[in-house]
């Protein structure tokens, strides 16, 4: 009886010590993992992780109304998501349609398009190259994100509209960041950039930046904070078209009345590189 009482007393003393040691080991492991990630790219202060899966995470800065999705091209891939009607005509859809029907981890708005003729018949006004499709743009200064063998490159096209189908596994052509699209207005904006990462991992990480009430210069400053140089930054569509949607997060450049979101013809889907995945919090 005395022996049992002694053992119970000893365990009562040792239990909090063992729990503390377990927490210390776990914390050390977490810090090591975080340190390893930090070696690749910097996460600016104020950003909180909102959704994540293998090879990609969405960070949100609530104070600034800015979301940044980082994609590790070694572990995740991009795909063009388009809803076709017939021939060269393309239907428009809410981002939730793409997310539900195509089952990516997340979707981000892709091509520019003009909706001056109405929400249903809006025409694509800037090019991207899904598969063998090349949609010619207006005479604007464009840049192309090219992904080849898990690495990203940015090409400055000037005022030409080349096709990168034979050179890239994935490509999207949008605008040079200095093209003036209401640049001084506070609008929803979307940009794509290649993060400057450590030697040996150049071109491995790309970022989608989506925000509300931003000027052109502000989104360039945000890109700078994420280690994206001006040469590696591409201007995407903005205003009501700036959209990102995942399982646990969504953000729109502008708020429509009654919760209606703009329908658009093309989104970029982000897929972890396995067939069946579960998002984790």
């Amino acid at each position: 009886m005395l022996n049992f009482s002694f053992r119970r007393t000893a365990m009562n003393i040792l239990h909090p010590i063992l729990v503390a040691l377990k927490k210390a080991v776990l914390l050390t492991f977490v810090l090591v993992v975080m340190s390893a990630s930090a070696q690749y790219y910097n996460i600016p202060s104020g950003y909180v992780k909102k959704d994540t899966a293998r090879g990609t995470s969405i960070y949100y800065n609530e104070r600034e109304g800015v979301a940044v999705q980082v994609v590790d091209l070694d572990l995740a891939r991009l795909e063009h998501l388009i809803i076709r009607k017939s021939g060269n005509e393309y239907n428009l859809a809410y981002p939730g349609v793409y997310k539900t029907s195509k089952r990516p981890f997340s979707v981000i708005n892709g091509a520019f398009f003009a909706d001056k003729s109405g929400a249903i018949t809006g025409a694509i006004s800037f090019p991207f190259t899904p598969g063998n499709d090349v949609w010619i743009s207006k005479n604007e200064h464009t840049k192309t994100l090219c992904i080849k063998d898990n690495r990203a490159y940015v090409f400055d096209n000037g005022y030409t509209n080349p096709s990168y189908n034979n050179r890239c596994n994935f490509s999207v052509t949008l605008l040079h960041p200095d093209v003036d699209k209401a640049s001084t207005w506070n609008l929803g904006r979307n940009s794509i950039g290649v993060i400057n990462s450590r030697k040996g991992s150049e071109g491995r990480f790309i970022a989608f930046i989506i925000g509300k009430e931003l000027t052109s210069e502000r989104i360039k400053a945000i890109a700078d904070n994420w280690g994206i140089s001006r040469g590696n930054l591409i201007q995407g569509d903005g205003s009501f078209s700036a959209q990102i949607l995942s399982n646990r997060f969504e953000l729109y450049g502008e708020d429509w009345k009654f919760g209606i979101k703009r329908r658009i013809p093309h989104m970029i889907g982000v897929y972890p590189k396995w067939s069946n995945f579960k998002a984790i919090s």
Side-chain angles (χ1 to χ4, degrees):
M1 187 71 176
L2 179 62
N3 185 41
F4 175 76
S5 177
F6 172 78
R7 283 188 297 172
R8 185 172 62 181
T9 302
M11 287 303 299
N12 288 339
I13 295 173
L14 289 173
H15 179 70
I17 298 174
L18 293 173
V19 170
L21 285 172
K22 183 178 179 180
K23 288 182 178 179
V25 170
L26 180 60
L27 178 60
T28 300
F29 173 77
V30 170
L31 289 175
V32 168
V33 172
M34 290 177 65
S35 176
S37 299
Q39 290 178 3
Y40 286 105
Y41 61 88
N42 176 58
I43 301 173
S45 63
Y47 285 87
V48 176
K49 187 181 292 184
K50 288 295 186 178
D51 204 353
T52 189
R54 176 179 170 85
T56 185
S57 294
I58 299 174
Y59 303 90
Y60 183 56
N61 187 317
E62 185 175 5
R63 184 177 64 84
E64 295 192 355
V66 174
V68 176
Q69 179 168 0
V70 178
V71 180
D72 180 347
L73 296 174
D74 278 351
L75 302 174
R77 63 182 177 86
L78 306 184
E79 183 177 316
H80 291 289
L81 305 180
I82 312 159
I83 295 184
R84 295 177 179 271
K85 289 202 308 189
S86 62
N88 291 325
E89 295 182 354
Y90 293 82
N91 198 1
L92 307 183
Y94 297 112
V97 172
Y98 296 96
K99 184 70 183 71
T100 302
S101 63
K102 306 297 183 179
R103 301 189 181 281
F105 164 74
S106 65
V107 291
I108 305 101
N109 65 295
F112 276 78
F113 77 104
D115 66 347
K116 300 299 183 183
S117 58
I120 302 301
T121 58
I124 292 167
S125 58
F126 299 102
F128 60 94
T129 55
N132 294 319
D133 296 330
V134 179
W135 296 342
I136 302 303
S137 79
K138 298 176 180 176
N139 187 28
E140 300 271 16
H141 188 170
T142 65
K143 297 179 76 173
T144 295
L145 173 72
C146 169
I147 297 176
K148 179 71 173 177
D149 299 328
N150 297 342
R151 291 298 179 264
Y153 309 89
V154 175
F155 300 132
D156 190 330
N157 305 315
Y159 290 85
T160 63
N161 296 304
S163 170
Y164 292 92
N165 290 333
N166 297 326
R167 300 166 59 183
C168 312
N169 304 124
F170 173 96
S171 67
V172 58
T173 298
L174 294 167
L175 294 181
H176 191 284
D178 290 340
V179 173
D180 188 349
K181 295 294 178 182
S183 61
T184 61
W185 295 15
N186 287 307
L187 298 173
R189 296 187 187 272
N190 169 30
S191 288
I192 308 172
V194 179
I195 296 175
N196 299 325
S197 54
R198 73 181 185 184
K199 186 176 181 180
S201 63
E202 297 91 338
R204 176 177 168 180
F205 298 92
I206 65 170
F208 296 93
I209 304 171
I210 302 93
K212 306 174 71 170
E213 298 185 1
L214 299 175
T215 64
S216 177
E217 286 303 312
R218 182 63 194 135
I219 204 164
K220 291 174 185 176
I222 293 168
D224 287 340
N225 288 339
W226 280 87
I228 301 170
S229 65
R230 298 296 172 90
N232 281 333
L233 184 64
I234 302 172
Q235 179 181 182
D237 205 354
S239 187
F240 291 97
S241 297
Q243 305 178 20
I244 180 172
L245 175 69
S246 74
N247 290 340
R248 295 184 173 92
F249 181 80
E250 59 185 285
L251 182 67
Y252 302 89
E254 308 287 343
D255 295 320
W256 281 55
K257 292 182 179 179
F258 312 114
I260 298 174
K261 311 303 180 187
R262 170 172 281 175
R263 291 180 289 179
I264 56 181
H266 165 241
M267 300 204 79
I268 297 171
V270 179
Y271 293 82
K273 288 183 177 177
W274 65 54
S275 56
N276 297 315
F277 76 93
K278 293 183 179 179
I280 57 175
S281 58

